[in-house]
């Protein structure tokens, strides 16, 4: 097997996050699903944007956030995702390259426009996300570069992108390419509603041994397994996945790798400001450790440290020096 050029290549939604602090009253007034993620159409996205206070725009998307964290930790990463030829497409492309991630997927002509996620952050740090998926749903298999996919130690797939048909077939093809090159495939379930719709697909991928590393939170694990009993859920999946990682917010995280189990508590922080990207950054820390051959417990700790940094401020991109922070905390 050839030496890998990248630690991780990710396929995910190319989304620009538009974030703004807001009151609980505004959430009620706009009839938003507080703390949840709701899909909106382009007109809905425009209406919500008009209702927002001053906002901050930064390239986002779950897998792209994970790669930004990995890049900050010193990992070599590349991203595959679809933007449109428009202003937000330029914002996304600039931001992701500026943090050291290779991104070469050609922008798409015409409608729909680049995806955006309008995030309303209430005083309790809860984020209410309203996502217009736009161009990101039209990533065709033809946009994949087989050589690029095969050049990464780990292929990381974002569950959100399993929903639309074109990217789903692109991801299936990427799995084949990665597996035939002897690379690992990591998968994040993303959100319970994705499992509600595509659980049979995900369970089949797991049973067929197509996934090497699976990231779920406790709610996603319950949806995947059909049981609310966390330990029972772990028991149902752990023997089918070489590395299973389950996060539990304030209760920390559990990892099971080839029968070995490790648990870490959540890192203490003074105040939760904004939970956007906590799971994404947990994956960043874990995957970076895994790519370096660290122990299961160290990988989990790296994930917890990165997640704690991200929830201490607005936005899903780190503000502290993650590499220095991890080195200091791991001592």
């Amino acid at each position: 097997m050839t030496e890998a050029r990248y630690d991780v290549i990710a396929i995910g939604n190319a989304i620009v996050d538009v974030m703004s602090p807001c009151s609980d009253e505004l959430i009620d007034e706009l009839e938003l699903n507080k703390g949840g993620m709701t899909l909106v159409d382009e007109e809905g996205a425009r209406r919500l944007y008009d209702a927002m206070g001053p906002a901050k725009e930064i390239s986002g998307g779950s897998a792209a956030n994970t790669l930004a964290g990995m890049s900050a930790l010193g990992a070599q990463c590349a991203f595959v995702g679809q933007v449109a030829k428009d202003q937000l497409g330029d914002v996304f492309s600039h931001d992701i390259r500026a943090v050291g991630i290779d991104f070469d997927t050609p922008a798409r002509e015409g409608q729909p426009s680049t995806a955006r996620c309008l995030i309303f952050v209430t005083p309790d740090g809860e984020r209410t996300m309203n996502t217009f998926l736009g161009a990101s749903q039209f990533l065709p298999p033809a946009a994949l570069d087989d050589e690029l996919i095969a050049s990464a130690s780990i292929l990381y797939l974002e569950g959100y992108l399993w929903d639309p048909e074109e990217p789903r077939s692109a991801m299936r093809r990427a799995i084949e390419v990665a597996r035939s090159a002897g690379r690992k495939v990591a998968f994040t379930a993303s959100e319970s509603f994705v499992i509600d719709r595509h659980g049979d697909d995900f369970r089949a991928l797991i049973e067929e041994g197509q996934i090497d590393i699976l990231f779920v939170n406790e709610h996603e694990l319950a949806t995947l397994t059909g049981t609310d009993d966390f330990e029972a859920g772990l028991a149902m999946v752990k023997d089918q996945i070489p590395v299973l990682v389950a996060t539990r917010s304030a209760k920390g995280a559990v990892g099971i790798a080839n029968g070995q189990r490790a648990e870490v508590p959540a890192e203490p922080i003074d105040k939760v400001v904004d939970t956007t990207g906590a799971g994404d950054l947990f994956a960043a820390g874990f995957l970076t450790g895994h790519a370096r051959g660290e122990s299961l417990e160290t990988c989990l700790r790296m994930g917890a440290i990165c997640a704690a940094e991200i929830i201490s401020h607005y936005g899903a991109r780190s503000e502290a020096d993650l590499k220095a922070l991890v080195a200091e905390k791991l001592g």
Side-chain angles (χ1 to χ4, degrees):
M1 194 163 68
T2 56
E3 182 76 20
R5 179 175 157 208
Y6 295 104
D7 294 306
V8 170
I9 184 165
I11 302 179
N13 277 316
I15 296 181
V16 176
D17 285 343
V18 183
M19 304 191 59
S20 177
C22 79
S23 64
D24 285 304
E25 288 74 25
L26 186 63
I27 299 283
D28 294 340
E29 194 184 310
L30 295 171
E31 297 179 344
L32 302 179
N33 171 26
K34 187 178 174 187
M37 200 288 277
T38 307
L39 294 177
V40 297
D41 59 16
E42 192 145 11
E43 190 185 329
R46 264 199 293 271
R47 180 179 67 84
L48 292 175
Y49 184 66
D50 289 344
M52 269 185 153
K56 193 161 96 173
E57 293 176 358
I58 185 161
S59 74
S62 173
N65 290 338
T66 295
L67 292 190
M70 292 192 72
S71 185
L73 290 167
Q76 294 297 310
C77 306
F79 180 73
V80 176
Q82 189 67 64
V83 296
K85 272 197 173 164
D86 56 21
Q87 188 186 350
L88 285 180
D90 291 344
V91 168
F92 182 90
S93 305
H94 170 270
D95 275 8
I96 198 161
R97 291 178 186 135
V99 294
I101 297 162
D102 286 353
F103 173 57
D104 299 315
T105 313
R108 189 173 181 274
E109 298 278 1
Q111 290 298 317
S113 56
T114 295
R116 71 212 70 145
C117 182
L118 304 165
I119 305 174
F120 293 79
V121 186
T122 36
D124 59 2
E126 198 61 80
R127 82 246 191 268
T128 300
M129 302 190 290
N130 304 274
T131 307
F132 168 62
L133 288 168
S136 70
Q137 298 181 91
F138 296 94
L139 175 75
L144 295 183
D145 175 342
D146 288 7
E147 214 174 291
L148 184 71
I149 302 292
S151 71
S153 291
I154 301 167
L155 168 68
Y156 182 60
L157 303 174
E158 179 185 318
Y160 281 130
L161 205 54
W162 200 265
D163 211 34
E165 197 177 331
E166 270 192 277
R168 190 184 324 139
S169 52
M171 283 179 160
R172 285 194 183 279
R173 172 133 164 264
I175 291 171
E176 282 172 25
V177 172
R179 297 213 77 84
S180 60
R183 306 304 192 188
K184 288 179 181 173
V185 176
F187 192 92
T188 175
S190 293
E191 186 98 35
S192 290
F193 84 84
V194 183
I195 304 170
D196 280 334
R197 288 154 75 130
H198 303 285
D200 289 346
D201 271 1
F202 297 163
R203 285 182 277 269
L205 286 174
I206 290 166
E207 281 159 22
E208 291 161 12
Q210 304 276 20
I211 296 173
D212 301 289
I213 305 167
L214 177 66
F215 291 94
V216 286
N217 64 29
E218 56 187 331
H219 308 298
E220 292 153 8
L221 181 67
T223 309
L224 187 67
T225 58
T227 175
D228 286 331
D229 182 321
F230 182 68
E231 290 299 331
L234 289 178
M236 288 167 74
V237 184
K238 68 179 173 65
D239 295 330
Q240 298 177 300
I241 299 267
V243 182
L244 172 63
V245 182
T247 57
R248 311 184 74 188
S249 300
K251 289 179 276 190
V254 176
I256 301 174
N258 306 312
Q260 178 208 352
R261 177 175 173 140
E263 289 186 47
V264 299
E267 285 288 312
I269 69 160
D270 295 336
K271 182 174 188 267
V272 175
V273 174
D274 168 27
T275 54
T276 310
D280 304 336
L281 269 288
F282 189 96
F286 188 93
L287 286 171
T288 303
H290 188 80
R292 290 178 188 162
E294 300 284 3
S295 70
L296 181 61
E297 186 175 352
T298 299
C299 293
L300 290 170
R301 287 247 13 238
M302 288 174 71
I305 292 163
C306 293
E309 193 282 332
I310 226 68
I311 63 177
S312 68
H313 58 77
Y314 282 114
R317 298 289 164 90
S318 56
E319 289 183 358
D321 179 338
L322 278 188
K323 197 192 269 187
L325 189 64
V326 167
E328 176 201 329
K329 297 265 190 182
L330 290 178

